[in-house]
Amino acid sequence: MDEIKNRYQEAMNKGHNAAWDQDWQRAADFYRQALDEAPEDPNALVSLGLALYEQGLYDQSQEYYSQAQKISPENPLAYEKSSQLFELLGRNEDAVAPALKASELYLQEGNIAKSVECLVRINRVDTTNLPAHSRLALIYEKTGREQQAVTEFLIVASLLQHQGEIEDAKQAAEHALELQPSSREAKDTLALIHEGVPLPLPVPSKVETIEHPTAPNSLDEQEHIEKKPILELDPIDEARQLALSDLANLVFEQGGGDSNGRDRDHQATWDGVSGLQQGEQKIASQLLQTAVISQGRGDEDETAEKLQQAIDAGLDHPAVYFDLGFILSKGDRLESAMRYLQRSIEDDSYALAARILIARTLRFKGQLNDAATNYLEALRIADALILPEEQRDDMLRMYGPIIEAESKQSDVEAKNGLCDLIEELLFRPDWQHHLAEARGEYQIDVDGAPAIPVGEVLTNPQGHRIVESVRTINQYARTGFMRSAMEEAYFAIQFAPTYLPLHTFMGELLLKQEHLKEAIEKFSTIAQTYRARGEPLHAVKVLQRLIKAAPMDLEARMQLIALHEEMNHYDEAIKEKVNLAGVYYNLADLSRAREVYLEAYQLAESTGSSREFSIEILHNLADIEMQSLDWKHAEEIYEQIRALKPDDPQAAEKVIELKLRLGQDQQAQDELINYLSFMETNGENQAALSFIGKLVDDYPDRTYFREIKAGLFLKEGQGEAAIKEYDAIGEMLLEAGDTQGALQAIEAIINLNPPNKDEYQGIIETLITEE
C-alpha cells in the first residue's frame, strides 16, 4: 500500500510542477498516472479535469469533473467547473443544475462571493431561472446590498406573475418596497401587478460578484478585479464597507463554518470555542444575523443592541467592535463607543478609521490633548500606508518622538489647528492621493533624500513657511540651480533652525554639488543631533545616507553600529560590523579587520543571532588567517565552521588544502575521500570533479589525486578521460622509478579496452623484460 501511495504522490507532485510551468499536456499525463494508482481520488480527478480544460479539451474535462462530483459530492469546485464547461460547450440547460449545487455548497462554506458568482452564471444562461434569482435576492438582503436585493426581488415578482402566482408576486414586490421605501421602480412594479399589466421579463445579467477583498482564485478573477473601477471612499466609509462584508460572512459561517473571506485570521472567534455550549453559540449567531438585517433596514438602535448582545454571548471579531463603536459614536454613549473602537484598533484593517473616530470623540468631549495624540496616531498609520511596504515599519517608528513631543505641548490654538489639518488631510474620498501630494510638498526632490513624516511638518510651528521654502528649493534643484537652492535652504534655516529635515536637505544639495567633505560633516552633525534628542531611528537613516555617499567613512560606520546596539537591533549591528571589517580588509589593515570580525562573532554568539551570521564571519576570519599565512589557525577556524555546518563545501575543501600545506598528506587523503563520498551522495559529481581537478593542478606530483580523478571519470562514463589520467600516472611513476606502480596503471588502462590496447600490452611486456 505504501508503494502505491508513494507512486500516486510522486505523480501528483510532478503534475503540479508541470501545471505550475503551464505545461498542461505533461500535467495531464502525470495526473493520469496518479489515477492509475488511485482511480477514485477526487484530487487527481479535479486536477486532470483542469489540465484538460486548459488545453481546450472541454468534453474530456467534463467527464472527469462529473466523476469527481460522484466521488466527492461535497466539493463545490467540481460542480462549478462542470457548469462553466457546459456553458462553453453551448449546453446552457445542463449548466444550471451544477451551478445551483455549487452555489449551495459555497454558501454552506461561507464563501458568499463564489456562491453569488455561480448564481449570476445561471442568470446569464437562463434569465428566467426563479430559484437563482430568489437566492440572489436573499443573499443581497442579508449582506446589506439593498439596491441589488430590490432589483432581484422585482425580477422574482415578474417571474412569479408570468407563472400566474399573483399573490406571491405582490409579496415579492412589497418586500422590495420595504427594503427601499423610496424606490420608484418597486412602487411602479407593485402598481402594475395590481392593475394586471404584464411585467417585463429580465434580460441577461452582467457578470457581478459580491465585493469582497479576497485573493483571486484564478487568472480570470485577477483580470476581473484589475479591470473593475475603484470607488474611492474616505477611511471611515472604507472601514464600514469592510465591516459590513465581514459581518455578512460571519452570518453565513454560523459560528463554525470555513469562510473564504479576507483571510483566515478573520474567522469568527467564539470565546472558548470548545467550552461554549452549542446552544449559546447558536444564540450569538442568531443575534448577529438579526443585527445585519436591522442594519440593512437602517435601524441602528436595534443593530447596536443586537451587536452588544452577540458580543455578550461570546462573539469576538474586529468588524463587530468597529461597527458597534461607529454606531455608538453618533449618539451619546461615547465612552462605550471608544471602548469598542479601541478593541478594533488591534486589527490593521480598522485601525485608521477607529483612530479618527476616537480622536473626534475625544475632541468633542474637550479632551484636546488626547484627541491630538489620536489624530497623530491616525496620521502615522496613513503616512505608512502610502509608502512601499518595506519602508512602512520605519515610518511608523519615526512617529514615536513626534507624538511624544506633541503630547507635551500646551498651546490650545496650535492643537486645534493640528487636529483640523489632519482631519482635512485624511477625511476625504481621495485621502491616499491627497496625502501623497502633501508629502510631495514637504519632500525635497533630490535623489536619495530620506522620507520625512508628514506629521513632522504639521507639528512644526513654522510648518507653512517650511513648505513654501521646500517648494522653492525643489524648483531651483529641478532646473539645476543648486547654489540658489542652497541659499533658499539657508534662508529657511533662519526661521526653523531646529527643523532637522531642512539640514538633511542641505546635505543632499551639497552632495549634488559634489562637496563631499562638507556633506559628510553636515550629515554627521545631523546624526549626532538626532541621537542627542533621543531619536535614534532618524540618526540611523542619516548615517546610512552618509555611508552610501562615503563608504570608507569609518567614524560613521562605528556610530551606526553603536546606535543599533543601543536600540537592541543586534542583527543590524552584526551586519554593520561585518561591513566595517570589510572596509578594513580592503584597506589591507588585516589586524583591525580581524578584531572587528571577532567582535561581530562574539555579538552574534551572545545574542543568539542566526547561525548563518556566525558561519559567514568565521569564513571571513579564516580568509584573513590564510592571507596572513597562519595555516594552522585557518584550519582550526574551518573545522569550527564544519562543526556548525557539516555540509559546508567551502570549509571541507579548505580543510583538505590546508592539511596538504601542513604536510598532513594521509589526513588530507582521508578527508578527501569522505568529502567526495558526501558529494556523490548528494549528486554533485561535477563539482567533485572540478575540485579534484584543481588539486591535480596544484599538486601534480600527487598521483593518488589523479587516481581518484580517473575513478570519478569512470563513474561518469568518461572512459577516454580516465585513460588519459592513468596514462599520466604511468609516466610519472616510470620517471620516479616505480615500475610496479606504472605496470598497475597500464593494466588499469588495458582493462578499459582502449582502441590501442595492443600498444599498452607491448609496454607491459617491455617493462617486465627490463625488470
Side-chain angles (χ1 to χ4, degrees):
M1 291 296 292
D2 287 342
E3 186 178 347
I4 292 174
K5 184 177 179 180
N6 290 338
R7 288 200 301 268
Y8 160 81
Q9 194 59 56
E10 183 181 359
M12 288 294 289
N13 291 340
K14 289 180 178 178
H16 294 334
N17 290 335
W20 180 263
D21 294 333
Q22 303 290 299
D23 190 345
W24 295 108
Q25 177 59 58
R26 286 184 65 246
D29 292 340
F30 285 125
Y31 290 140
R32 285 194 178 93
Q33 292 176 23
L35 280 173
D36 289 340
E37 304 299 333
E40 296 189 351
D41 181 77
N43 290 331
L45 288 168
V46 168
S47 297
L48 180 53
L50 176 62
L52 294 170
Y53 174 90
E54 293 291 343
Q55 295 177 72
L57 303 174
Y58 299 142
D59 285 323
Q60 296 180 41
S61 177
Q62 176 63 59
E63 292 177 10
Y64 288 103
Y65 279 122
S66 295
Q67 291 181 47
Q69 292 171 29
K70 296 174 184 176
I71 293 169
S72 183
E74 75 289 348
N75 183 359
L77 179 62
Y79 293 99
E80 180 192 12
K81 287 298 183 183
S82 285
S83 176
Q84 291 177 357
L85 285 163
F86 280 133
E87 185 179 2
L88 287 169
L89 292 166
R91 297 165 58 182
N92 288 349
E93 292 182 3
D94 295 329
V96 173
L100 276 173
K101 183 65 176 177
S103 174
E104 178 186 340
L105 292 171
Y106 277 130
L107 200 56
Q108 290 173 7
E109 290 184 354
N111 192 339
I112 303 171
K114 294 297 289 183
S115 179
V116 168
E117 185 180 321
C118 293
L119 294 174
V120 170
R121 180 177 298 108
I122 294 171
N123 291 341
R124 188 166 60 243
V125 300
D126 180 7
T127 59
T128 60
N129 191 284
L130 182 57
H133 286 292
S134 300
R135 292 185 188 183
L136 269 178
L138 292 172
I139 291 174
Y140 285 144
E141 180 181 359
K142 285 189 174 184
T143 54
R145 292 167 64 89
E146 288 182 0
Q147 184 57 58
Q148 290 90 335
V150 167
T151 299
E152 290 299 329
F153 274 118
L154 295 181
I155 292 173
V156 169
S158 171
L159 295 175
L160 288 170
Q161 184 202 46
H162 281 272
Q163 292 179 12
E165 300 177 22
I166 306 303
E167 288 304 315
D168 289 341
K170 286 180 183 178
Q171 288 180 13
E174 287 169 352
H175 189 65
L177 195 56
E178 288 176 8
L179 289 175
Q180 207 168 66
S182 61
S183 171
R184 169 60 60 185
E185 189 179 5
K187 292 176 183 177
D188 291 345
T189 298
L190 191 57
L192 290 172
I193 293 174
H194 282 296
E195 295 170 8
V197 177
L199 297 172
L201 287 170
V203 296
S205 62
K206 297 178 181 179
V207 176
E208 179 184 1
T209 60
I210 285 281
E211 290 180 15
H212 207 273
T214 58
N217 293 324
S218 67
L219 291 175
D220 290 340
E221 288 183 41
Q222 179 69 57
E223 290 171 3
H224 176 70
I225 291 171
E226 288 173 353
K227 291 175 183 176
K228 189 174 183 177
I230 297 173
L231 178 62
E232 290 188 333
L233 303 170
D234 64 63
I236 293 175
D237 279 345
E238 282 181 0
R240 285 217 71 207
Q241 291 278 4
L242 186 60
L244 292 174
S245 178
D246 279 349
L247 291 176
N249 270 308
L250 295 180
V251 168
F252 284 99
E253 285 177 12
Q254 295 296 326
D258 178 15
S259 169
N260 291 319
R262 285 188 296 131
D263 59 54
R264 297 285 174 178
D265 293 336
H266 292 181
Q267 297 279 333
T269 303
W270 309 90
D271 289 341
V273 173
S274 58
L276 193 64
Q277 296 298 316
Q278 187 173 359
E280 294 173 327
Q281 182 174 325
K282 186 176 181 180
I283 290 171
S285 178
Q286 290 172 344
L287 288 165
L288 180 61
Q289 182 172 356
T290 305
V292 170
I293 293 171
S294 61
Q295 188 149 5
R297 294 199 305 265
D299 189 343
E300 291 192 335
D301 289 338
E302 183 181 5
T303 301
E305 179 185 354
K306 297 306 176 184
L307 287 175
Q308 178 64 71
Q309 292 175 4
I311 291 170
D312 293 341
L315 181 59
D316 176 20
H317 194 282
V320 181
Y321 298 133
F322 178 80
D323 197 32
L324 181 54
F326 171 79
I327 294 170
L328 296 178
S329 71
K330 296 192 291 183
D332 56 1
R333 296 175 59 188
L334 300 184
E335 291 296 335
S336 295
M338 287 196 297
R339 185 169 67 253
Y340 289 116
L341 289 170
Q342 194 69 44
R343 295 182 73 174
S344 71
I345 284 174
E346 298 172 9
D347 186 279
D348 291 343
S349 302
Y350 298 104
L352 174 57
R355 283 289 185 189
I356 294 174
L357 288 172
I358 291 172
R360 286 179 179 175
T361 304
L362 288 166
R363 194 179 185 189
F364 177 79
K365 294 178 66 179
Q367 298 175 17
L368 189 57
N369 196 54
D370 291 338
T373 297
N374 276 277
Y375 268 120
L376 278 172
E377 289 286 0
L379 184 59
R380 179 212 294 252
I381 296 166
D383 210 357
L385 284 173
I386 64 172
L387 288 175
E389 190 169 352
E390 64 272 10
Q391 299 178 27
R392 290 177 184 174
D393 287 343
D394 283 348
M395 179 58 68
L396 290 171
R397 286 193 287 266
M398 285 182 186
Y399 268 85
I402 299 172
I403 294 172
E404 183 180 356
E406 178 58 32
S407 67
K408 297 175 183 177
Q409 299 298 322
S410 56
D411 187 328
V412 174
E413 184 179 351
K415 282 191 181 291
N416 272 314
L418 176 64
C419 293
D420 289 339
L421 281 172
I422 297 176
E423 179 80 20
E424 192 276 331
L425 262 179
L426 299 183
F427 191 64
R428 52 192 300 153
D430 58 343
W431 68 270
Q432 290 173 312
H433 176 70
H434 187 63
L435 186 58
E437 281 190 339
R439 179 190 293 287
E441 292 181 341
Y442 310 147
Q443 186 78 30
I444 194 166
D445 189 17
V446 176
D447 290 341
I452 303 300
V454 173
E456 189 156 352
V457 178
L458 297 186
T459 55
N460 192 291
Q462 300 293 334
H464 292 294
R465 296 182 70 182
I466 291 170
V467 170
E468 290 302 320
S469 288
V470 170
R471 285 175 179 164
T472 305
I473 292 169
N474 283 336
Q475 288 173 0
Y476 284 134
R478 290 187 192 114
T479 52
F481 295 106
M482 295 300 173
R483 185 182 296 275
S484 298
M486 182 64 79
E487 289 174 359
E488 178 62 31
Y490 275 116
F491 169 74
I493 288 295
Q494 303 307 309
F495 60 77
T498 61
Y499 185 62
L500 292 181
L502 268 177
H503 291 274
T504 306
F505 297 161
M506 292 172 71
E508 295 292 343
L509 292 170
L510 287 168
L511 284 177
K512 277 285 184 181
Q513 298 173 80
E514 298 184 358
H515 298 323
L516 184 59
K517 182 180 178 182
E518 293 85 348
I520 290 173
E521 291 175 356
K522 172 64 77 174
F523 282 130
S524 181
T525 302
I526 296 167
Q528 290 172 17
T529 306
Y530 270 130
R531 190 175 182 183
R533 280 170 36 171
E535 300 180 40
L537 187 62
H538 282 81
V540 164
K541 293 296 179 186
V542 173
L543 286 171
Q544 287 174 336
R545 182 70 185 104
L546 193 162
I547 290 168
K548 184 177 179 181
M552 306 304 285
D553 191 307
L554 302 176
E555 180 61 30
R557 290 187 179 276
M558 286 188 277
Q559 287 186 44
L560 184 56
I561 291 167
L563 275 169
H564 281 312
E565 290 187 283
E566 286 175 12
M567 294 188 292
N568 297 328
H569 296 168
Y570 295 119
D571 284 357
E572 288 79 2
I574 293 165
K575 290 176 185 175
E576 291 302 331
K577 281 182 179 287
V578 170
N579 291 338
L580 176 59
V583 173
Y584 282 121
Y585 184 93
N586 291 332
L587 292 171
D589 189 346
L590 298 184
S591 176
R592 190 72 184 98
R594 181 189 291 108
E595 289 178 16
V596 178
Y597 277 133
L598 283 171
E599 290 173 8
Y601 179 73
Q602 290 164 1
L603 183 60
E605 291 294 292
S606 64
T607 58
S609 295
S610 169
R611 179 169 292 184
E612 293 302 318
F613 277 146
S614 297
I615 292 170
E616 178 189 354
I617 295 166
L618 287 172
H619 270 296
N620 290 324
L621 279 168
D623 180 62
I624 288 177
E625 301 307 335
M626 294 282 284
Q627 297 293 328
S628 304
L629 303 181
D630 189 346
W631 296 337
K632 182 62 179 174
H633 197 195
E635 183 195 7
E636 291 172 359
I637 296 174
Y638 281 122
E639 290 287 10
Q640 191 175 352
I641 294 171
R642 290 210 300 177
L644 292 172
K645 188 180 180 183
D647 60 344
D648 189 304
Q650 183 181 352
E653 292 177 5
K654 290 295 184 182
V655 166
I656 294 167
E657 292 179 19
L658 286 166
K659 287 189 180 298
L660 288 168
R661 293 186 185 186
L662 292 167
Q664 301 171 5
D665 280 29
Q666 185 56 52
Q667 293 179 32
Q669 190 171 349
D670 294 340
E671 290 283 354
L672 177 61
I673 291 170
N674 291 334
Y675 177 58
L676 293 177
S677 176
F678 170 79
M679 297 287 278
E680 182 180 2
T681 301
N682 287 275
E684 299 180 20
N685 292 341
Q686 288 302 315
L689 269 171
S690 176
F691 177 61
I692 195 67
K694 180 177 179 297
L695 289 179
V696 167
D697 293 339
D698 292 344
Y699 301 93
D701 58 326
R702 301 319 205 262
T703 56
Y704 62 84
F705 287 156
R706 290 189 179 275
E707 290 177 19
I708 293 172
K709 188 177 180 183
L712 288 175
F713 277 135
L714 287 176
K715 287 181 180 180
E716 290 292 297
Q718 300 180 39
E720 290 185 11
I723 289 171
K724 289 180 181 179
E725 293 301 326
Y726 284 125
D727 205 329
I729 292 169
E731 289 183 6
M732 290 172 61
L733 292 174
L734 280 176
E735 289 178 7
D738 186 355
T739 305
Q740 287 300 318
L743 285 170
Q744 291 176 6
I746 297 169
E747 286 173 357
I749 294 173
I750 291 172
N751 291 335
L752 295 175
N753 199 26
N756 54 346
K757 180 178 178 180
D758 292 341
E759 293 181 17
Y760 285 107
Q761 191 64 53
I763 294 172
I764 287 180
E765 292 173 359
T766 301
L767 289 174
I768 293 174
T769 302
E770 291 177 353
E771 267 195 320

